[in-house]
Amino acid sequence: MSLLRHVFTLLVALGLPVHAVAQPPHACADPRPLRLALVPEKDPYRQTQQYRPLLKALEHTTGRRVAWIPTTSYGAVIEGLLTGDIDVAQMGPASYAVAMSRGAQLTPVASFRLRPGPATPDASAYHSVLISKRSTHLQNLSQLRGRTLSLTDPASTSGAVLPRQAIQSLTGLSLESYFSRITFAGSHDRSLEALRQGRVDAAFVSSTAIDEAVRRGTLRMDEIHVLWRSQPIPYDPFVIRLALCPALQEQIRRVFLGHTQRLQPMLQELGMTGFVPVTAENYREIRQLYP
C-alpha cells in the first residue's frame, strides 16, 4: 500500500476529514532524454546532419541527452506531440495549426530568420509557389489542366494546404478535378526532383526549398517557370510541449533566442541568418483554417 493511501485509510478510521490530506502538486514533465523531431521537408539523412548542431546545443544547455525521433510524415510529428512522445519539434505552420485544433498543448518559441533568395525576396516570410520546367513550355495555370502535379505532404502548408485553396479559388475546381494525377512526394526536395526528372508536369513547393536547391547547385532559376505565388507565409515554428517543466522550457528558449554561436554551422548550411521569437499570434490566420 502506498504511503498516501495508508494515510488516507488511517484518517478515515479515525473519523478525520479527508481534505486534511495534503495532495501532491501536479508534476511537470522532465523527460530524459529530451525528444526532438522535425517535419520531413527534405532527405532524412541530410536533414539530420544539417540540424545536428541544434541537437548538440540543446544537450549542452539542458544538460541531458537529446534523442532524434525519426518521422516519415508531417502527421507523425503531430501525433508524437499529441501523445507526448515528442517534446520539441519544428513544424510547418499548417501542421502546427492542425495539432492545436486537435487539442495539443504547445507553445511556439522561435522561427528562422530567412536569408533572401531568388524565390524568397523577403526575409520575414516565405511563399508557396507553383512551378513547371521551362523546357515543357507550360507557362500558365490554364495550360496545366489535365496535367500531372506533385505535392509534398497533406499537412504541408506550402506543399498542399494553400495549393488546394489556390486551385479552388483560381479555377473553381478541386485539385483532383483540375489535374489528371496528383502524387505526394513526401518532401519538398523530392517534389523538385520529380519535376526535374519529368515525372510530373508541375509542383507546388516552398520558395525556400527552391532557394536551397539553387544554392546547392541542383536547380537553376532559368530552368523553371513560376506560375503562381502565394501571399507571404510566416515561417515554420519550433514548438515545445507546455507540459515540460518551466525551467526546462526556459533552457530550450535560450538555445534559440540566446547566444547562438553553436548553431552557426547549421544556419549557414540552411541559408538562414538567425532566429526570431514567435507566438501563437504569428500563426493566427493559418489556425483559422482549422477551427
Side-chain angles (χ1 to χ4, degrees):
M1 180 182 293
S2 70
L3 178 60
L4 185 58
R5 182 178 295 181
H6 178 76
V7 173
F8 178 87
T9 304
L10 181 61
L11 286 173
V12 171
L14 294 175
L16 297 177
V18 174
H19 63 72
V21 180
Q23 299 297 322
H26 176 68
C28 58
D30 189 30
R32 295 175 184 271
L34 189 70
R35 296 155 300 178
L36 170 68
L38 309 169
V39 291
E41 295 182 336
K42 58 189 74 173
D43 173 75
Y45 176 78
R46 180 157 60 90
Q47 190 172 23
T48 299
Q49 294 305 306
Q50 288 178 328
Y51 281 79
R52 191 159 297 281
L54 174 60
L55 183 148
K56 295 300 183 184
L58 285 167
E59 288 185 333
H60 179 266
T61 302
T62 65
R64 70 191 67 204
R65 188 170 71 87
V66 177
W68 287 109
I69 303 299
T71 58
T72 57
S73 68
Y74 287 53
V77 176
I78 294 171
E79 293 300 327
L81 289 164
L82 286 168
T83 59
D85 294 324
I86 294 171
D87 304 305
V88 184
Q90 184 190 24
M91 310 183 77
S95 55
Y96 163 68
V98 170
M100 296 301 288
S101 73
R102 295 180 57 188
Q105 298 297 304
L106 307 172
T107 183
V109 174
S111 183
F112 284 119
R113 182 187 299 114
L114 306 178
R115 176 175 291 141
T120 313
D122 184 355
S124 65
Y126 73 115
H127 302 266
S128 170
V129 292
L130 174 63
I131 60 175
S132 64
K133 284 182 67 174
R134 190 175 292 269
S135 60
T136 63
H137 305 292
L138 297 170
Q139 301 182 45
N140 55 64
L141 180 58
S142 63
Q143 292 177 316
L144 290 181
R145 185 165 185 176
R147 299 281 187 161
T148 57
L149 176 73
S150 178
L151 301 177
T152 57
D153 182 283
S156 170
T157 311
S158 57
V161 175
L162 294 184
R164 189 171 294 280
Q165 290 187 328
I167 294 300
Q168 182 70 48
S169 174
L170 294 171
T171 71
L173 298 173
S174 67
L175 272 173
E176 288 76 12
S177 299
Y178 198 78
F179 293 93
S180 62
R181 177 170 56 88
I182 298 171
T183 59
F184 286 96
S187 64
H188 293 275
D189 58 350
R190 288 176 183 169
S191 279
L192 287 172
E193 184 65 11
L195 180 71
R196 193 180 68 82
Q197 293 186 359
R199 299 199 301 270
V200 293
D201 296 311
F204 277 105
V205 294
S206 71
S207 60
T208 51
I210 295 175
D211 291 340
E212 182 171 357
V214 170
R215 190 169 60 250
R216 297 179 70 86
T218 58
L219 180 74
R220 300 192 316 271
M221 287 301 293
D222 63 8
E223 293 181 293
I224 61 173
H225 283 298
V226 176
L227 310 181
W228 173 84
R229 179 187 300 270
S230 74
Q231 293 296 311
I233 309 167
Y235 200 64
D236 300 1
F238 286 90
V239 303
I240 56 179
R241 287 198 300 130
L242 285 172
L244 299 183
C245 291
L248 178 56
Q249 291 190 39
E250 183 55 34
Q251 289 172 339
I252 295 169
R253 287 178 185 275
R254 284 208 309 271
V255 170
F256 294 100
L257 302 175
H259 298 295
T260 59
Q261 289 89 340
R262 291 175 177 271
L263 299 179
Q264 289 308 309
M266 178 184 78
L267 294 170
Q268 183 174 0
E269 172 68 16
L270 294 172
M272 305 297 179
T273 62
F275 294 96
V276 293
V278 294
T279 68
E281 180 61 22
N282 292 92
Y283 304 94
R284 178 174 52 83
E285 291 186 17
I286 297 293
R287 289 188 62 184
Q288 288 174 348
L289 302 176
Y290 301 92

